[in-house]
Amino acid sequence: MVVIRILFMGGHELGKIALESLIKSNKNIIGVVITDTTDEWYKGVDEVAQKHSILVFKEKNINNTDFVVTVRKMSPELIVVVNFDQILKEEIISIPIKGCINTHASLLPKYRGRAPLNWAIINGEKETGVTVHYINKGIDTGDIIVQVSIDIEENDYIEDILGKVKKVYSYIVKDSVEKIIKGTVVPIKQDISSGCYCSKRTPKDGQINWDKPAIQIYNLIRATSEPYPGSYTYYNGFKVIIWKAELAEQDQKHREYKNGKVLEVRDNHILVKSVGNNLKITKYDIISDKNQFVRIRENESFNFKDDIND
């Protein structure tokens, strides 16, 4: 197989998995670029590069003039981007003769932008996937090289979906690079008018609104559970992080109660009145002072409207 010069830009465990796959298949990685940050979320790629004696660049802004000059001197023929948190501008995109490619965890053109897996679960999607595409001036709008679908089961949490995605990342980037090297890519243009853009999510986006349908609350809990910060509500001023839950049938008498009312407290669950169904909370944490004991009781409101601030 023809050997080409590849510059890798990435972060997070998904970037680590993809880089390991490229190295294992003897691809010529001439350098690895990571963002200069202390955020542990992006760790891993640099460790793989150092293990294999690959030059590592830590850059706060890859589009600054000095780094663009550095990249030109390296003469990469292909730039591979995986879970990188910076946007490549034209000065970088135009350097490699075989282009720049990115790996995105959605079935483009759906869910362009940030946190696509989380948004897919929040919106109740039954399917997501992984797409490798060429990078152009837009955000996740370039021609598609390879796309793999992933089912989202009704009881899948974000950790389950990440596990499925990791398996795909272990081969999809390598396969795409090999298609480019062989010249067998049949690019598929995206319909820019379809799909949607996802905004960045923050921990505050996990606050539960008990007046929303139970299925929406359930999906939010699934989408923000571990390894993310979790969905949360308040109980007598204390923050309660909800990690796991189930939808439960609602008795006729429950429909008269206020949404968010605690109906039942057992050792293994808390039953809460919601819209359409009740919500059975099976795993949660109460954030309180070390010396304070907090006990959730039946027949009290689980979420006090006045206690909405951290």
Side-chain angles (χ1 to χ4, degrees), residues 29 58 62 67 78 84 106 111 122 141 206 208 222 239:
I29 311 297
K58 297 178 68 173
I62 60 165
F67 190 66
L78 177 69
F84 195 55
S106 83
Y111 297 101
I122 287 170
T141 55
I208 293 171
R222 293 164 59 216
K239 188 174 184 179

Side-chain angles (χ1 to χ4, degrees), residues 101-144:
I101 64 172
N102 179 54
T103 308
H104 187 73
S106 83
L107 294 175
L108 293 174
K110 284 188 173 182
Y111 297 101
R112 301 184 182 107
R114 306 294 292 272
L117 295 176
N118 308 84
W119 280 113
I121 298 175
I122 287 170
N123 292 336
E125 298 283 1
K126 304 301 181 185
E127 184 182 51
T128 184
V130 180
T131 303
V132 179
H133 65 94
Y134 285 107
I135 297 174
N136 59 14
K137 292 181 181 180
I139 305 297
D140 302 323
T141 55
D143 292 354
I144 294 170

Side-chain angles (χ1 to χ4, degrees), residues 111-284:
Y111 297 101
R112 301 184 182 107
R114 306 294 292 272
L117 295 176
N118 308 84
W119 280 113
I121 298 175
I122 287 170
N123 292 336
E125 298 283 1
K126 304 301 181 185
E127 184 182 51
T128 184
V130 180
T131 303
V132 179
H133 65 94
Y134 285 107
I135 297 174
N136 59 14
K137 292 181 181 180
I139 305 297
D140 302 323
T141 55
D143 292 354
I144 294 170
I145 300 169
V146 178
Q147 198 167 67
V148 175
S149 299
I150 295 171
D151 290 336
I152 302 177
E153 304 295 339
E154 187 176 345
N155 60 349
D156 276 341
Y157 280 72
I158 184 63
E159 190 171 35
D160 301 310
I161 301 304
L162 283 171
K164 296 178 183 181
V165 166
K166 287 173 186 177
K167 292 179 181 178
V168 175
Y169 270 64
S170 70
Y171 65 83
I172 194 170
V173 179
K174 173 187 70 68
D175 289 357
S176 299
V177 169
E178 289 176 353
K179 282 179 176 288
I180 291 171
I181 293 173
K182 293 176 183 177
T184 60
V185 175
V186 181
I188 301 172
K189 288 193 175 298
Q190 293 190 51
D191 180 0
I192 305 303
S193 65
S194 66
C196 58
Y197 277 99
C198 307
S199 60
K200 179 181 178 180
R201 292 190 61 80
T202 67
K204 288 187 177 181
D205 295 323
Q207 183 170 342
I208 293 171
N209 178 350
W210 290 101
D211 290 327
K212 288 189 174 183
I215 184 63
Q216 292 186 21
I217 298 173
Y218 174 62
N219 288 341
L220 178 66
I221 292 168
R222 293 164 59 216
T224 59
S225 190
E226 297 163 311
Y228 291 89
S231 298
Y232 65 94
T233 188
Y234 293 91
Y235 182 83
N236 286 347
F238 295 99
K239 188 174 184 179
V240 181
I241 301 176
I242 301 173
W243 300 111
K244 297 282 186 180
E246 301 170 5
L247 293 175
E249 290 188 12
Q250 189 173 91
D251 293 340
Q252 182 66 38
K253 64 180 181 180
H254 293 159
R255 297 176 186 175
E256 302 175 0
Y257 296 149
K258 182 179 178 181
N259 298 324
K261 182 181 179 64
V262 174
L263 302 172
E264 180 178 275
V265 179
R266 297 290 182 268
D267 290 341
N268 61 349
H269 75 261
I270 299 170
L271 190 67
V272 184
K273 162 66 166 61
S274 305
V275 178
N277 291 88
N278 290 332
L279 198 72
K280 182 186 287 187
I281 299 168
T282 56
K283 184 180 180 181
Y284 64 94

Side-chain angles (χ1 to χ4, degrees), residues 30-43:
I30 61 172
V32 167
V33 184
I34 62 172
T35 295
D36 188 0
T37 177
T38 57
D39 191 340
E40 290 295 321
W41 183 258
Y42 297 102
K43 295 295 182 183

